[in-house]
Amino acid sequence: MGLLIGIPLLLPDRSSTIPSGIEVPEPDSRLVFGEILEPLPGSGAAGKGLLSSDIEWRSLPGHFALVSVAEDEANLFTDHAATHPLYVAEESWGLLVSDDLGKMVPHLETPRLDPSWLSQFLYFNYPLGETTFLDGVRRLPAATHLHFDRRTGAIVQRRWKALLDRPDRFLDANESRIRATEVFADRIPRYLTPPDEVALSLTGGFDSRTLLAFAPESLRREVLTYTYGVEGCGDLLDAGEIARRLGLRHEALCFDGTFEEELPRRIWTTVQRSGGCERILRATLDRVYEDLARGRSIAVTGVSGDNLFRDHLLGRGNVPAIIPPAMMDHLQGRSPEIDRNLLASIYAGESDAALGRVQDSLDAVWGRWGEGGQALTFQRYLVYEVAPRYFGGEAALARHHLRYRAPFWDPEILALAFELSLGVLGLSTFLPGKDPYRESVLQASAILSQPGMARVPMKGVSLAAYAGGRRWRYQLERLVRRGPGKVHKLVRPPRRVPLEDWEGWWQRTLRAPCSRLLGDDSRLAGHVDRGWIVRTLDSGDLHWIGKAVTAEIVLRLLENRWELPAEAGP
């Protein structure tokens, strides 16, 4: 659950009466938003001494923001990549600060929608930079220090750490394997304690296996691994086999009929509990984290691992859920022009204003991270925009129920990704195109270095085949081990069980209530063309339907001061 504080002005000619319900920190107090996983050297508790100039910020594990309040000033800090949000609003009485947008809504003097948020959400999939859905409320960027003078109201904002950058020399393949293994062994275990409180996501993919591999044996025995999905889906089957072979404690969280019955209300709670940062098509996570919180207090996930070690600038694996096609074209340098037809379809006669907002947003992206078509720009976009904005929605939702940790956001692991020829930056620099084998070598090697992990193949192929650096062995194993199964599937195609059955859930359970939300009384229709809403519903395209319904729910929650309205159901 988030914190909400007010830092009042000290001006004698201006009222500094703070609305009720807002905590006012005492002078000389320091607040930690989120979680720092270790005490600082020489201090008895996390947070003490954090503001002194000799602290090595990048070494602090955890996801956090910091606020220090003195008699006549306040200092606000975000961590290395803004992995924990910090939102600020300048009010007539002073500064309103929170890590939960939803908590801010009832306490703002005039809560209004920022039209830039809607344009960015529809075009880019999430807001960028400092934008939030609340006009006048901004999210502080990564590694930011904001100084607030309580006597004058003046604000000065600067970076306390430079952006991660391309190294003078990338570590070669062998050096990359050694360095990654060292950093993973040092950093990942810090996120897995105390083990009897930790629930570790296990999907069968490289990212969750990497976290599992670097959990010391003593932790691995106590940590609860969990997997979610529709019963019989690939993730549940793969994770169950891994857990059986390694003797892990494992819990399968299945989306059954009861979950489907909850969905009409669950889509509302997903948006509300995440402070408007998560889309309705992630309502499954609201159920998952709610269930986990009954027995564990910490959820650890492998999000962003592929964005650091297996993606490629010329790949399309993140499209459209994480990065929409138009933005991927911009990042790849294929098309520098904004997709005018898309905006004209959404906004009709108001598309010029939306075009200007989107163009300004895209220009700001290039100003922050570099030019389109560049590997460094792509990697920075994944680290500084995708991680805190797309995956940050999941983190915000999870924090409503328990503590959320993503070890791949660790400062040392993020820095590592920029050093390696086998990381996303290096792969996008040296490889002429997408190469799933080459992109898997680093994590396969790291996993294989840990005792016992070689016993579990990846999709029927041994980890040694991925890690060995000999493509012919990898291809031969795929042919021998998976070939017969593929032939059998061609002859007798199996029933495909999806991870999440959104097509079925939409048709059976969500179509009617969502159509009512976007009907004649739609709040979204006051901002976009009604014809686009109708066409979106008729298209059956759940990606766009999910965006439209999410925006509609944000607008209704904002209208209702972030309380669930009657139409959310019992």
Side-chain angles (χ1 to χ4, degrees):
M1 305 292 285
L3 297 176
L4 179 77
I5 64 169
I7 305 172
L9 286 161
L10 302 177
L11 295 175
D13 59 341
R14 187 183 302 185
S15 170
S16 60
T17 303
I18 296 181
S20 62
I22 300 174
E23 177 188 350
V24 179
E26 294 293 330
D28 298 321
S29 61
R30 290 170 181 167
L31 294 89
V32 177
F33 292 69
E35 185 180 30
I36 301 174
L37 300 181
E38 297 174 359
L40 291 168
S43 93
K48 298 295 184 182
L50 280 171
L51 305 183
S52 65
S53 59
D54 60 345
I55 293 299
E56 182 53 63
W57 287 78
R58 61 175 289 182
S59 68
L60 295 173
H63 317 309
F64 59 90
L66 305 164
V67 176
S68 173
V69 181
E71 185 65 41
D72 57 357
E73 67 175 10
N75 291 281
L76 287 63
F77 296 84
T78 56
D79 71 12
H80 59 286
T83 62
H84 191 90
L86 198 62
Y87 304 105
V88 297
E90 297 176 52
E91 299 285 85
S92 61
W93 50 262
L95 205 62
L96 182 65
V97 181
S98 183
D99 56 353
D100 184 336
L101 274 175
K103 281 185 174 293
M104 299 181 80
V105 173
H107 302 287
L108 291 170
E109 293 166 354
T110 52
R112 296 185 302 268
L113 180 77
D114 184 341
S116 291
W117 172 84
L118 185 59
S119 299
Q120 291 178 6
F121 177 62
L122 294 175
Y123 192 87
F124 300 103
N125 281 355
Y126 30 78
L128 302 177
E130 299 189 9
T131 304
T132 74
F133 68 80
L134 287 167
D135 186 32
V137 177
R138 55 197 182 91
R139 175 173 176 155
L140 296 186
T144 293
H145 172 202
L146 183 150
H147 177 266
F148 175 56
D149 189 323
R150 298 182 63 189
R151 298 192 182 279
T152 66
I155 288 178
V156 177
Q157 186 171 311
R158 64 177 182 84
R159 291 188 61 85
W160 57 259
K161 177 185 176 184
L163 294 173
L164 291 168
D165 207 342
R166 181 195 304 270
D168 294 333
R169 181 185 77 85
F170 285 100
L171 300 181
D172 65 28
N174 190 53
E175 291 171 326
S176 293
R177 291 187 182 96
I178 294 171
R179 177 65 177 149
T181 299
E182 292 173 346
V183 173
F184 291 160
D186 176 43
R187 306 301 291 190
I188 289 174
R190 304 178 191 219
Y191 292 80
L192 300 174
T193 58
D196 59 342
E197 296 183 28
V198 168
L200 174 62
S201 173
L202 181 61
T203 64
F206 277 108
D207 298 331
S208 62
R209 286 199 200 200
T210 300
L211 300 184
L212 182 63
F214 286 90
E217 188 65 32
S218 59
L219 297 182
R220 204 183 296 171
R221 287 195 299 268
E222 292 189 59
V223 163
L224 172 69
T225 60
Y226 72 92
T227 312
Y228 63 81
V230 174
E231 187 172 2
C233 71
D235 272 17
L236 285 172
L237 296 176
D238 290 346
E241 179 65 12
I242 293 171
R244 185 188 65 79
R245 291 196 182 203
L246 296 178
L248 305 174
R249 301 177 64 185
H250 183 252
E251 183 173 349
L253 304 174
C254 296
F255 303 130
D256 54 14
T258 302
F259 167 75
E260 186 170 344
E261 292 172 2
E262 298 171 354
L263 266 175
R265 180 176 175 82
R266 188 74 71 174
I267 61 174
W268 281 88
T269 59
T270 295
V271 178
Q272 185 204 37
R273 291 168 174 175
S274 67
C277 296
E278 188 58 284
R279 302 165 300 148
I280 67 161
L281 296 186
R282 302 300 276 160
T284 47
L285 295 175
D286 191 38
R287 171 68 175 274
V288 167
Y289 291 123
E290 186 178 278
D291 286 351
L292 289 175
R294 294 189 177 99
R296 298 279 160 149
S297 62
I298 302 167
V300 180
T301 81
V303 298
S304 293
D306 56 343
N307 290 168
L308 299 178
F309 302 112
R310 294 196 320 284
D311 274 342
H312 193 285
L313 174 60
L314 298 183
R316 309 285 287 191
N318 290 309
V319 177
I322 299 179
I323 301 177
M327 186 58 191
M328 198 67 209
D329 286 343
H330 300 327
L331 288 167
Q332 292 177 339
R334 296 174 184 267
S335 173
E337 299 296 324
I338 298 294
D339 188 339
R340 293 172 176 266
N341 292 333
L342 173 62
L343 293 175
S345 172
I346 297 172
Y347 287 94
E350 302 296 323
S351 62
D352 285 349
L355 176 64
R357 291 192 293 267
V358 171
Q359 185 65 63
D360 289 345
S361 302
L362 186 61
D363 291 344
V365 166
W366 304 144
R368 286 192 295 270
W369 317 128
E371 298 178 356
Q374 302 297 314
L376 180 61
T377 304
F378 178 61
Q379 180 68 97
R380 284 177 170 173
Y381 187 81
L382 292 175
V383 168
Y384 295 114
E385 300 281 10
V386 171
R389 292 307 203 148
Y390 177 82
F391 292 112
E394 174 180 342
L397 179 59
R399 286 195 300 268
H400 179 84
H401 301 288
L402 35 57
R403 286 178 283 169
Y404 181 88
R405 297 177 184 172
F408 287 114
W409 293 350
D410 179 84
E412 296 292 338
I413 292 178
L414 287 181
L416 167 74
F418 282 72
E419 301 172 5
L420 310 179
S421 60
L422 295 180
V424 168
L425 177 58
L427 293 167
S428 298
T429 300
F430 300 121
L431 286 183
K434 190 74 178 157
D435 186 340
Y437 166 72
R438 187 69 171 168
E439 292 163 22
S440 302
V441 167
L442 180 80
Q443 283 180 278
S445 300
I447 296 168
L448 199 59
S449 71
Q450 302 306 297
M453 297 304 294
R455 297 199 302 268
V456 188
M458 175 73 70
K459 306 296 183 185
V461 178
S462 70
L463 284 169
Y466 283 97
R470 295 180 176 85
R471 189 186 300 271
W472 64 265
R473 178 180 174 182
Y474 164 76
Q475 293 173 334
L476 180 61
E477 278 205 30
R478 287 189 69 199
L479 178 64
V480 171
R481 299 191 183 198
R482 297 170 61 181
K486 287 194 171 185
V487 172
H488 183 266
K489 289 177 182 178
L490 289 174
V491 175
R492 298 185 63 181
R495 182 176 71 91
R496 179 182 173 273
V497 179
L499 176 68
E500 301 176 9
D501 186 20
W502 283 104
E503 293 288 346
W505 297 334
W506 169 254
Q507 294 296 338
R508 294 188 299 267
T509 307
L510 288 176
R511 186 183 186 94
C514 289
S515 296
R516 286 194 296 272
L517 279 177
L518 294 173
D520 293 339
D521 195 34
S522 167
R523 307 319 191 256
L524 183 60
H527 300 270
V528 303
D529 179 53
R530 178 173 291 280
W532 174 77
I533 295 176
V534 173
R535 292 191 300 274
T536 298
L537 284 171
D538 290 344
S539 73
D541 185 332
L542 290 179
H543 175 71
W544 281 102
I545 291 172
K547 283 187 179 184
V549 177
T550 299
E552 178 71 31
I553 289 176
V554 166
L555 289 166
R556 290 178 183 245
L557 286 171
L558 183 56
E559 180 182 272
N560 207 44
R561 290 278 177 164
W562 219 248
E563 294 292 329
L564 289 176
E567 57 262 38

